[in-house]
Amino acid sequence: MNRNQPASDDICLWATGELQQPDSRYGKTPFRIYNSVANLTKAQREQAPYFVVWLHGMDGGWIEPSYLKTMQMRLHRRVVFMVPKNPESTPEGLNFNWGCCFYKKENKNNLGYVLGVLHKGFLTDLSEKISNLATLFEAERTMVMGYSMGGFGAFQLGGFAPDVFDVVVSAAGYGLGTLTPQGEMYDAPQPQATNNFEDFLGQVASNMVRVPIVLALHAEHDGMSSYRDVKAIIARLHEIMEAEGSNNTVALLQVPDDKANSDKSRKKASTRRHHHYFNYTLLDAHSEDFFWSKLRDLLKTAPYRLEIKCPQEVEKVGTLSAKLGGGMPPCPNCPKPAAEEGEEEQMTKYQEEFEEELEEEDEEVEPRDPAPRLHRAQEGAAPSQDPYGMAGTPDVLSEEEEEEEEDDEELQCAGGQPAPRSRTAPRNPRRGYQWRPHTQVAAEKSKSEPRLEEGEVGPKGTRLRPQAALPQLHTREAKRPRIEDLP
């Protein structure tokens, strides 16, 4: 991650980085980190920040920092933004809509997000990066937000790793697959599109219900993102919440029809299909009453994300372990890991080689005397010399104790000087000796050696150097995370 100089006092680009991956499972995924503190007092700037992940739409461009600044001012809080870019295509031709992947043949008529599958590897890496950064910045709340395709990505992340997020906001979003009949809107093949959507609900909705706040912002007559699908997602969340008795918040905020094309655009109003309400929902004055005031009120009373509220519950759920994604199957478009291919045969081969090496070592080692070693105290010892009443009692060492004594012998052969043992002060009733503390040995050794003053020459030409002052750590200023320490 590279550090950047601040552009202004209100919002600055703190760092840039790239999502690391063990192999080329997905394309290059850069991201940026912004810090925004506009219109805040000194006390507010020192509060724990909100960590907000912003996911862009199909245009694929970086969001304007001024837009992020406006969102931060609406939250009335210091905000650290993470702004990733959608993964680039792989050399094999695998394309991405955030965590949804598909090949060119599946993207015919731009239906990749209807016929694709969720890419478990990418969602795992991105979720872990978000979790690590939120922990680094000591964020009080972690949110994921996006518009259009970004709203689709917000649903993916919220359902894949619900313990990482306090808030999921999908504006003009959609799901994987669709309930829209063939011949309408997407003209997606049925019943395949419906089956994909039901699978998406089963994979995502059952997990996303654990996120404290889930909000969808959508226009009913949106001609590019299906309102029917988003309404079905919210309805499924409500069903699960009622069955589980959850107190989390799930809501669908409907955009008025006269605001669905309110964004300024060069396109004619008749061709904009009621999908242009970015400013109305997130930026301009109307967004305050429509969305931001509601979100601020919910944040005051909503429980915290599972990641910091109840780590034991997270470990049991395992959303960031082998069970990540609620048992979501691996991406069928990805090659199987090498460990899964012939794993059993490979482990059997390693076991046989290991056993052969052990047999060779046993043949080389001389047989040991099976008779146990006996340690006796001197007869007639004074009570003070035998506080545990072990005089004349044999002490048979266990295998671990014998190994410790062998280690001591090896240390002495190698030139080490183990501390002498005292037979009169046993460490425990089973062993008739005790290690002397290394601090005691060092203190006795220092008494026998002459002490040098600063600048004085010793017998072997040694000179005591003045000790440099150590840097002061853990100051108040050190509480702010350093960009060079970012993972």
Side-chain angles (χ1 to χ4, degrees), residues 64 180 213 229 243 286 297 332 385 389 415 440:
E64 291 289 338
T180 305
I213 302 174
D229 294 343
H286 298 92
D297 292 340
Q385 295 176 330
Q440 179 181 352

Side-chain angles (χ1 to χ4, degrees), residues 335-346:
K336 292 184 179 180
E340 297 182 3
E341 299 178 357
E343 181 178 5
E344 185 175 352
E345 294 79 1
Q346 189 69 17

Side-chain angles (χ1 to χ4, degrees), residues 106-168:
E106 298 165 332
N107 197 32
K108 186 177 180 181
N109 298 326
N110 295 323
L111 293 178
Y113 55 89
V114 175
L115 304 178
V117 293
L118 294 179
H119 193 286
K120 187 174 181 179
F122 170 76
L123 292 173
T124 299
D125 294 345
L126 182 56
S127 300
E128 290 181 345
K129 175 60 70 174
I130 294 170
S131 176
N132 293 338
L133 290 177
T135 302
L136 174 67
F137 291 111
E138 299 180 353
E140 182 176 329
R141 297 287 191 178
T142 301
M143 313 180 198
V144 57
M145 305 172 62
Y147 190 87
S148 191
M149 188 182 79
F152 179 32
F155 279 149
Q156 297 170 22
L157 286 172
F160 190 76
D163 55 306
V164 175
F165 302 100
D166 296 278
V167 181
V168 171

Side-chain angles (χ1 to χ4, degrees), residues 163-420:
D163 55 306
V164 175
F165 302 100
D166 296 278
V167 181
V168 171
V169 178
S170 175
Y174 45 89
L176 197 161
T178 182
L179 298 175
T180 305
Q182 190 169 355
E184 299 181 13
M185 191 181 292
Y186 306 130
D187 192 21
Q190 294 292 359
Q192 181 181 0
T194 297
N195 294 337
N196 291 348
F197 186 78
E198 291 295 336
D199 292 341
F200 179 76
L201 288 180
Q203 295 172 0
V204 172
S206 59
N207 286 336
M208 192 161 50
V209 74
R210 295 199 297 270
V211 179
I213 302 174
V214 178
L215 300 176
L217 321 178
H218 215 98
E220 183 177 5
H221 298 289
D222 191 322
M224 298 181 66
S225 298
S226 174
Y227 177 81
R228 178 187 303 179
D229 294 343
V230 173
K231 187 177 181 180
I233 294 173
I234 299 301
R236 179 66 63 88
L237 293 177
H238 279 296
E239 292 176 4
I240 299 175
M241 286 176 55
E242 292 178 1
E244 298 180 355
S246 174
N247 294 324
N248 291 341
T249 300
V250 175
L252 172 58
L253 306 181
Q254 185 172 329
V255 177
D257 292 339
D258 59 337
K259 301 296 182 182
N261 281 327
S262 56
D263 289 348
K264 294 181 180 180
S265 175
R266 295 180 181 179
K267 296 182 179 180
K268 296 181 180 180
S270 59
T271 62
R272 289 162 64 186
R273 304 178 63 182
H274 297 83
H275 188 69
H276 298 268
Y277 41 91
F278 175 80
N279 288 281
Y280 175 82
T281 54
L282 299 173
L283 296 183
D284 64 20
H286 298 92
S287 66
E288 174 64 22
D289 294 332
F290 177 77
F291 168 63
W292 293 110
S293 62
K294 297 181 177 64
L295 178 59
R296 291 196 305 269
D297 292 340
L298 291 172
L299 287 172
K300 293 177 183 178
T301 58
Y304 288 95
R305 59 190 181 275
L306 290 176
E307 189 174 58
I308 61 176
K309 175 187 174 185
C310 186
Q312 295 82 1
E313 182 68 18
V314 174
E315 184 176 355
K316 182 176 70 174
V317 174
T319 52
L320 284 180
S321 64
K323 298 180 180 179
L324 187 58
M328 183 181 298
C331 172
N333 292 331
C334 302
K336 292 184 179 180
E340 297 182 3
E341 299 178 357
E343 181 178 5
E344 185 175 352
E345 294 79 1
Q346 189 69 17
M347 292 302 296
T348 303
K349 179 181 178 181
Y350 290 154
Q351 183 68 20
E352 293 176 354
E353 294 177 355
F354 180 71
E355 292 176 355
E356 292 177 359
E357 293 178 359
L358 290 180
E359 293 177 359
E360 294 176 359
E361 292 178 358
D362 291 340
E363 294 176 357
E364 296 176 359
V365 176
E366 297 180 359
R368 299 176 58 181
D369 185 3
R373 280 185 270 177
L374 303 180
H375 296 278
R376 300 176 181 272
Q378 295 181 357
E379 296 182 2
S384 60
Q385 295 176 330
D386 187 22
Y388 292 95
M390 297 295 295
T393 303
D395 182 20
V396 181
L397 298 183
S398 64
E399 294 182 0
E400 296 181 356
E401 294 168 345
E402 290 180 357
E403 291 177 358
E404 289 181 7
E405 286 202 351
E406 291 173 2
D407 293 340
D408 298 343
E409 295 173 1
E410 293 176 1
L411 176 63
Q412 197 149 10
C413 292
Q417 297 294 332

